[in-house]
Amino acid sequence: MTTPSRIRCPKLSKRVMSADEAATLIPSGVNVGMSGFTGAGYPKAVPVALADHIRRQRADGENYRVSVWTGASTAPELDGALAEVDGIEMRLPYQSDPVCRQKINDGQMSYMDIHLSHVAQHVWSGFFGKLDIAVIEVAGITEDGRLIPSSSIGNNKTWIDQADRVILEVNYGQSAGLEGMHDVYYGTALPPRRKPIPITHPDERFGEKYLLCPPEKVIAVVETDAPDRNSKFADPDDNSRRIADHLLKFFQQEVEQKRLPKNLLPLQSGVGNIANAVMAGLNEGPFDNLSAYTEVLQDGMLAMLKSGKLATASATAFSLSPEANQDLADNIEFYKDRIVLRTQEISNHPEVIRRLGVIAMNGMIEADIYGNVNSTHVMGTRIMNGIGGSGDFARNGYLSVFMTPSTARNGAISTIVPMVSHVDHTEHDVQIVVTEQGLADLRGLPPRRRALEIIEKCAHPDFRPRLKDYFERACASGRGMHTPHLLEEALSWHCHFEQNGQM
Amino acid sequence: MTTPSRIRCPKLSKRVMSADEAATLIPSGVNVGMSGFTGAGYPKAVPVALADHIRRQRADGENYRVSVWTGASTAPELDGALAEVDGIEMRLPYQSDPVCRQKINDGQMSYMDIHLSHVAQHVWSGFFGKLDIAVIEVAGITEDGRLIPSSSIGNNKTWIDQADRVILEVNYGQSAGLEGMHDVYYGTALPPRRKPIPITHPDERFGEKYLLCPPEKVIAVVETDAPDRNSKFADPDDNSRRIADHLLKFFQQEVEQKRLPKNLLPLQSGVGNIANAVMAGLNEGPFDNLSAYTEVLQDGMLAMLKSGKLATASATAFSLSPEANQDLADNIEFYKDRIVLRTQEISNHPEVIRRLGVIAMNGMIEADIYGNVNSTHVMGTRIMNGIGGSGDFARNGYLSVFMTPSTARNGAISTIVPMVSHVDHTEHDVQIVVTEQGLADLRGLPPRRRALEIIEKCAHPDFRPRLKDYFERACASGRGMHTPHLLEEALSWHCHFEQNGQM
């Protein structure tokens, strides 16, 4: 371990032990709240040690499993390792790990896919049962035992508050300069005692810089020195760039029409290549003095902070490439003036998103001709990742944008379909749909006009005639003309794909 | 007309004219914002006169149509009359009129079905184009030109603010005692200038008692003396009573488990017989000092206010039987101490609903085995009414409950189906499903366990074996096991019904 010690609190430095020792403190059958959000700030050592422990116990014939609650997605060292040994009874509220996903879709693991803004309050209310143990990565511990949060906050405040026992991982690999970047709000409450969340601009601070944890709850402190997942996203491809172009043109039009201020409104951006392409586009675009109120800061937002295009950014986590992560560490004071990391219940709070008027920009799996969006299920049955915060932002934002290339699997799949095979965002919550083909503006349009707009603007030309044909036959069917459908074949595109590998 | 005049403002008393004269001031092609919410406070004379005017113009060969925006549903004298003459180009955000519904489902009229909390802000933002004229029922006009709101507020503040021209209907049939019951909040703004909505309890007042309207905007004042729709709901039937019983037992259990306070949390209740049955149940139940933060006050809530079970109620509209309406008028001072009528953007505000921790109780058309809810479409294509405020309350409330009898059309339809034919509330937003058969508590359950819970607790025994069979075959299909489905037959129950009149 590097010196000086990051465990400045004498009381807690006495609880230092190995990850293997700490893992044995987690009994089978418990609910464990772990830190971690989009591959940042998750515990690196204890989950792996727990997986080993479970494997050994399993060999001895014990059916050892725990339920794992997090902020959002983590990494192979957590979700992957525990899923690999079938150690997870129930997983919530979001995951994106390949092994985890496979286990869920094979029926070997249970998964609850929840709005990220709902998680904390449902746990406070006892809806999911008692949280037994918290395993939280921190960047350090102060003299008086306060915890310096790591590269994400997520649900950590909630896990620490709710759990009887807390295991801390102090990660020396996290920048010591993170201290002071966070804003942990301790003013939340259960109804009927709730007060307004006191924020009117994305950069406002109204909480603590530290996580507070009674030292007597801490049953183990484990020292680590490993980087976050820090996966590099591919450079924007042509489709992503085209999607970004359509969206930027739309923003310009909205500013011209005075439906958006010149510096837009606080941006929320989902994770991935399209999101990064939109950020790259904005970084070269005509808008200045932008702000972000979002869940996750990716490379693109850091670049925009650096260029000055983005004045301020609020999130609950980073999700950076190794290069961007290095840049963050090298320029931590610069970024600390411009970034606030908050608890997940505040970064995704409906009240705040609505008040700030966030522009919600999220990816999707597919949309149907009426603008219902599927964000989670492949062919209606297999979970991809989860809804994450997209529902928090889409429902409550000023504008709700959903984006995807118009085809997938080398053209075998149309992402615009007659009827989505699963609905995460209803027609009532989807205003703008963008593919590389174009942008459909659904505001003010009744269903049949939405269908024409989406087919015309967003569908791939290879699928457009069949979509039109479906729509026209549905209109001619003599069934209801509000939302015309041929229920017999509404999901047939998905069935074809399952049978023939081609929609 | 009765005396004394309710038009106490000399300036505005000069604008009095007949409804026929006023109707001619509404040109073809305009967007008209009309008052009205669940059959209360809608203009009674001008829309009928406009329908006559349109019929005459039509006879002269002119294609005369207007778009009609309201708070929510109105009555035959508004929606019915205008739909009858094909006078409505586009209708939003909610309707429940039989003629209207028929025209929409025949494809002769366009309808946008919108979250009620979205309407005002989307209009402020210009998403639906310019509002040209407002037609607003009021209970009177003060000396200085302030408007005494009627039996609903809905979007009236927005319509008056946004329209260039305002037509007022002063209804002498509304209780003069309504003066002072309303709370019209003028502190809303477009982002980035929004402030917290200053409310922490359902009974707080933070606005004006009157609607404010520059007198120069008022182009006509029409005097009327007609009652609201005031339709009587049927007495609770056995199914409604059983649903109410299940829900009350659930509330008791939640109080025992300390997941709800003894006086519950503010109640939101949809409109209809089941809602009234739930209120009747609560009125005889063990809970005291209840509160309501809802859209609509029905007979049941008035009875609870009278009995003292309900301490306070906030809404944007009444929807009463003639008897309850008489009781309201006779005891207006008693009720005025206990009722606040607000603008729709506040009664349905996500921020407020979340903060207060509202218990959302809404009816539905059907739910599927995974807990997705269809609130709007019959057999996937025909609109019934609209989503109304159910999405505002279900997404942001403390608990989200959906209720329906388990069958419809004398048993020909199962309201629990393999897959809903339209989704208004996703699996992420539905926690409790209740039918007369029982109550499914979906909190903390992953999809397959949700399916078992819903089939077992909520489905009618006549359909339960087929639902189980579908679910088991879906699980055995080798497709994804997160949300098992047989897409080929997921909607077949609806198709059977369309073909054979029987699911």
Side-chain angles (χ1 to χ4, degrees):
Chain A
M1 282 298 154
T2 53
T3 50
S5 171
R6 291 204 186 172
I7 309 169
R8 307 198 297 251
C9 170
K11 233 187 207 163
L12 292 184
S13 64
K14 287 182 197 144
R15 311 262 159 81
V16 172
M17 62 182 77
S18 72
D20 286 337
E21 286 174 286
T24 63
L25 302 176
I26 303 174
S28 182
V30 296
N31 296 321
V32 186
M34 298 210 185
S35 63
F37 199 110
T38 48
Y42 55 91
K44 274 67 174 184
V46 173
V48 173
L50 179 62
D52 286 342
H53 182 59
I54 288 173
R55 193 182 283 115
R56 285 192 299 270
Q57 300 288 316
R58 184 80 38 83
D60 292 348
E62 202 195 334
N63 182 23
Y64 203 120
R65 279 166 179 256
V66 296
S67 288
V68 177
W69 308 353
T70 62
S73 58
T74 64
E77 306 99 287
L78 197 169
D79 275 324
L82 286 169
E84 191 66 52
V85 299
D86 290 319
I88 302 179
E89 176 68 35
M90 162 81 95
R91 180 76 177 85
L92 65 82
Y94 183 90
Q95 62 75 39
S96 69
D97 182 81
V99 181
C100 225
R101 183 185 299 132
Q102 183 71 45
K103 296 278 181 181
I104 296 166
N105 287 325
D106 287 351
Q108 296 170 291
M109 184 176 144
S110 288
Y111 174 52
M112 266 200 79
D113 179 20
I114 307 171
H115 294 301
L116 295 188
S117 78
H118 278 179
V119 182
Q121 74 165 13
H122 285 189
V123 173
W124 305 338
S125 303
F127 289 179
F128 304 150
K130 173 89 184 89
L131 184 73
D132 301 287
I133 298 184
V135 183
I136 309 292
E137 177 179 285
V138 297
I141 304 175
T142 67
E143 287 74 4
D144 56 359
R146 287 173 301 166
L147 310 176
I148 303 166
S150 175
S151 49
S152 73
I153 303 189
N155 285 314
N156 293 354
K157 168 186 160 287
T158 295
W159 299 163
I160 291 170
D161 285 353
Q162 295 286 314
D164 301 321
R165 290 160 283 171
V166 175
I167 296 173
L168 297 174
E169 284 198 6
V170 179
N171 187 350
Y172 289 71
Q174 296 287 3
S175 171
L178 284 172
E179 186 170 357
M181 187 179 271
H182 309 86
D183 191 70
V184 185
Y185 181 53
Y186 278 90
T188 55
L190 282 178
R193 292 180 306 279
R194 286 191 178 144
K195 303 286 175 208
I197 311 292
I199 177 170
T200 57
H201 291 98
D203 60 353
E204 280 170 1
R205 291 172 175 276
F206 49 98
E208 308 288 325
K209 290 182 176 162
Y210 304 93
L211 288 159
L212 309 178
C213 176
E216 57 275 16
K217 271 195 183 183
V218 179
I219 57 171
V221 179
V222 176
E223 292 178 295
T224 69
D225 188 12
D228 280 330
R229 189 178 65 194
N230 291 345
S231 40
K232 172 119 184 84
F233 286 97
D235 283 330
D237 60 7
D238 277 358
N239 276 346
S240 302
R241 260 194 293 265
R242 280 196 203 111
I243 289 171
D245 284 350
H246 294 310
L247 192 54
L248 260 74
K249 251 179 239 152
F250 169 77
F251 287 150
Q252 277 184 284
Q253 165 213 300
E254 290 301 293
V255 171
E256 281 160 22
Q257 300 288 322
K258 299 196 191 313
R259 288 190 290 254
L260 276 177
K262 273 186 195 169
N263 67 337
L264 307 183
L265 284 166
L267 305 168
Q268 176 261 335
S269 169
V271 176
N273 292 325
I274 296 176
N276 260 331
V278 170
M279 292 306 126
L282 284 167
N283 207 12
E284 291 157 15
F287 311 109
D288 294 305
N289 198 26
L290 296 165
S291 64
Y293 194 86
T294 189
E295 293 169 353
V296 178
L297 298 179
Q298 283 189 271
D299 290 20
M301 284 211 181
L302 249 59
M304 286 174 70
L305 285 167
K306 205 154 202 184
S307 74
K309 282 281 184 184
L310 188 64
T312 185
S314 167
T316 192
F318 289 105
S319 185
L320 302 174
S321 68
E323 299 73 36
N325 197 51
Q326 190 57 51
D327 174 51
L328 174 71
D330 293 344
N331 300 285
I332 192 81
E333 294 306 320
F334 171 87
Y335 287 116
K336 218 186 307 189
D337 286 344
R338 290 159 179 81
I339 292 173
V340 188
L341 290 188
R342 306 182 191 279
T343 56
Q344 176 167 344
E345 66 266 25
I346 301 298
S347 69
N348 286 48
H349 204 298
E351 169 176 339
V352 181
I353 292 165
R354 173 82 169 220
R355 183 179 306 143
L356 299 181
V358 172
I359 299 176
M361 302 181 287
N362 289 289
M364 61 176 173
I365 290 175
E366 58 181 2
D368 67 28
I369 55 175
Y370 295 110
N372 299 285
V373 163
N374 171 10
S375 298
T376 57
H377 281 67
V378 175
M379 302 299 143
T381 64
R382 295 187 290 276
I383 192 81
M384 173 55 77
N385 300 330
I387 191 169
S390 59
D392 301 323
F393 288 95
R395 173 73 59 93
N396 296 300
Y398 180 82
L399 276 174
S400 125
V401 181
F402 285 92
M403 305 176 282
T404 181
S406 66
T407 59
R409 298 268 181 105
N410 295 316
I413 290 174
S414 174
T415 59
I416 307 296
V417 291
M419 179 184 269
V420 286
S421 57
H422 184 89
V423 179
D424 295 288
H425 306 287
T426 72
E427 51 166 335
H428 314 284
D429 295 320
V430 178
Q431 291 155 355
I432 310 289
V433 175
V434 199
T435 70
E436 83 288 353
Q437 298 293 321
L439 181 147
D441 182 354
L442 308 178
R443 293 173 299 171
L445 299 187
R448 278 179 285 135
R449 286 185 57 201
R450 290 166 74 101
L452 293 172
E453 174 86 359
I454 290 175
I455 295 171
E456 200 53 55
K457 300 283 177 61
C458 297
H460 191 280
D462 289 353
F463 291 98
R464 204 176 288 155
R466 275 175 62 202
L467 286 166
K468 259 192 184 154
D469 175 61
Y470 173 86
F471 176 65
E472 283 163 10
R473 285 186 296 116
C475 288
S477 70
R479 304 268 172 82
M481 280 290 278
H482 181 58
T483 306
H485 263 306
L486 302 166
L487 292 189
E488 296 81 359
E489 64 174 276
L491 298 170
S492 63
W493 293 34
H494 302 87
C495 296
H496 285 163
F497 179 83
E498 293 279 33
Q499 283 151 20
N500 314 313
Q502 169 80 37
M503 274 188 171
Chain B
M1 282 299 154
T2 53
T3 50
S5 173
R6 291 205 186 172
I7 309 169
R8 306 198 296 252
C9 170
K11 233 186 206 164
L12 291 183
S13 64
K14 287 181 198 147
R15 311 263 160 79
V16 172
M17 63 182 75
S18 73
D20 287 336
E21 285 175 285
T24 63
L25 300 176
I26 303 175
S28 182
V30 296
N31 296 321
V32 186
M34 297 209 185
S35 61
F37 199 111
T38 46
Y42 56 92
K44 274 66 174 185
V46 174
V48 173
L50 178 61
D52 285 341
H53 181 58
I54 288 173
R55 192 183 282 114
R56 284 192 300 270
Q57 299 289 313
R58 183 81 37 84
D60 291 350
E62 202 194 336
N63 182 22
Y64 203 121
R65 278 165 180 256
V66 297
S67 288
V68 177
W69 308 352
T70 62
S73 58
T74 65
E77 307 97 288
L78 197 169
D79 275 324
L82 286 169
E84 191 67 51
V85 298
D86 290 318
I88 302 181
E89 176 67 35
M90 162 81 95
R91 179 73 177 83
L92 65 84
Y94 183 91
Q95 62 75 39
S96 69
D97 183 80
V99 181
C100 225
R101 182 185 299 133
Q102 184 72 43
K103 296 278 180 180
I104 294 167
N105 287 324
D106 287 350
Q108 295 170 291
M109 184 176 143
S110 289
Y111 173 52
M112 266 198 78
D113 179 19
I114 306 171
H115 294 302
L116 295 188
S117 78
H118 278 180
V119 182
Q121 74 166 12
H122 286 189
V123 172
W124 304 338
S125 302
F127 289 179
F128 303 150
K130 174 89 185 87
L131 184 73
D132 301 287
I133 298 185
V135 183
I136 309 292
E137 176 179 286
V138 297
I141 304 174
T142 67
E143 286 74 4
D144 56 0
R146 288 174 300 166
L147 311 177
I148 303 165
S150 174
S151 49
S152 72
I153 302 189
N155 285 312
N156 293 353
K157 168 186 160 288
T158 294
W159 300 163
I160 290 170
D161 286 354
Q162 296 285 315
D164 301 321
R165 290 160 282 171
V166 175
I167 296 173
L168 297 174
E169 285 199 5
V170 179
N171 187 350
Y172 288 71
Q174 296 287 3
S175 169
L178 284 172
E179 186 171 357
M181 187 180 271
H182 309 85
D183 191 68
V184 185
Y185 181 53
Y186 278 90
T188 56
L190 281 178
R193 292 180 303 279
R194 286 189 178 147
K195 304 287 175 209
I197 310 293
I199 177 171
T200 57
H201 291 98
D203 59 353
E204 278 170 3
R205 292 173 175 273
F206 48 97
E208 308 288 325
K209 290 182 176 164
Y210 304 93
L211 287 159
L212 310 179
C213 176
E216 58 275 17
K217 271 195 181 182
V218 179
I219 57 171
V221 178
V222 176
E223 292 176 294
T224 68
D225 188 12
D228 281 328
R229 189 178 64 196
N230 292 343
S231 39
K232 173 121 184 83
F233 286 96
D235 282 331
D237 60 8
D238 278 356
N239 277 345
S240 303
R241 259 194 293 263
R242 281 195 202 110
I243 289 171
D245 284 349
H246 295 309
L247 192 55
L248 259 74
K249 252 179 235 150
F250 170 77
F251 288 150
Q252 276 184 284
Q253 165 212 302
E254 291 300 292
V255 171
E256 281 159 22
Q257 299 287 322
K258 300 199 190 310
R259 288 190 292 255
L260 275 177
K262 274 187 195 166
N263 67 337
L264 307 183
L265 284 166
L267 305 167
Q268 176 260 335
S269 170
V271 175
N273 291 327
I274 297 176
N276 260 332
V278 171
M279 292 307 125
L282 284 167
N283 206 12
E284 292 157 14
F287 311 109
D288 293 305
N289 197 25
L290 296 165
S291 65
Y293 194 85
T294 190
E295 293 169 355
V296 178
L297 299 180
Q298 284 190 270
D299 289 19
M301 285 214 181
L302 249 58
M304 286 174 71
L305 285 168
K306 205 154 202 183
S307 74
K309 282 281 183 184
L310 188 64
T312 184
S314 166
T316 191
F318 289 104
S319 184
L320 301 174
S321 68
E323 297 74 36
N325 196 51
Q326 189 59 51
D327 174 51
L328 175 72
D330 293 345
N331 300 285
I332 192 81
E333 293 307 319
F334 171 87
Y335 286 116
K336 218 187 308 191
D337 284 344
R338 289 159 180 81
I339 292 173
V340 187
L341 290 188
R342 305 181 191 279
T343 56
Q344 176 167 344
E345 66 267 24
I346 300 298
S347 68
N348 285 47
H349 203 298
E351 169 176 339
V352 181
I353 292 165
R354 173 83 167 217
R355 184 179 306 144
L356 299 181
V358 172
I359 298 175
M361 303 181 287
N362 289 289
M364 60 177 173
I365 291 175
E366 58 181 3
D368 66 29
I369 56 174
Y370 296 110
N372 298 285
V373 163
N374 172 11
S375 299
T376 57
H377 281 67
V378 175
M379 303 298 144
T381 63
R382 296 188 290 277
I383 192 81
M384 174 55 78
N385 299 330
I387 191 168
S390 58
D392 302 321
F393 287 95
R395 172 73 58 92
N396 296 300
Y398 181 82
L399 276 173
S400 124
V401 181
F402 285 93
M403 305 176 282
T404 180
S406 67
T407 59
R409 297 268 181 106
N410 294 318
I413 290 175
S414 173
T415 58
I416 308 295
V417 291
M419 180 185 268
V420 286
S421 58
H422 184 90
V423 179
D424 295 287
H425 307 287
T426 73
E427 50 166 335
H428 315 283
D429 295 320
V430 179
Q431 290 156 355
I432 310 290
V433 175
V434 199
T435 70
E436 84 288 353
Q437 297 293 321
L439 180 147
D441 181 355
L442 308 177
R443 293 173 301 171
L445 299 187
R448 277 178 288 136
R449 287 184 57 201
R450 290 166 75 100
L452 292 172
E453 175 86 359
I454 291 174
I455 294 171
E456 200 52 55
K457 302 280 178 60
C458 297
H460 192 279
D462 289 352
F463 291 99
R464 203 177 288 156
R466 276 175 64 202
L467 286 167
K468 261 194 181 149
D469 174 61
Y470 174 87
F471 176 64
E472 283 163 11
R473 286 184 296 114
C475 288
S477 70
R479 304 269 172 82
M481 279 290 277
H482 182 58
T483 307
H485 262 306
L486 301 166
L487 294 189
E488 296 80 358
E489 64 175 278
L491 298 170
S492 63
W493 293 33
H494 303 86
C495 296
H496 284 163
F497 179 82
E498 293 279 32
Q499 282 151 19
N500 314 314
Q502 169 80 36
M503 273 190 172

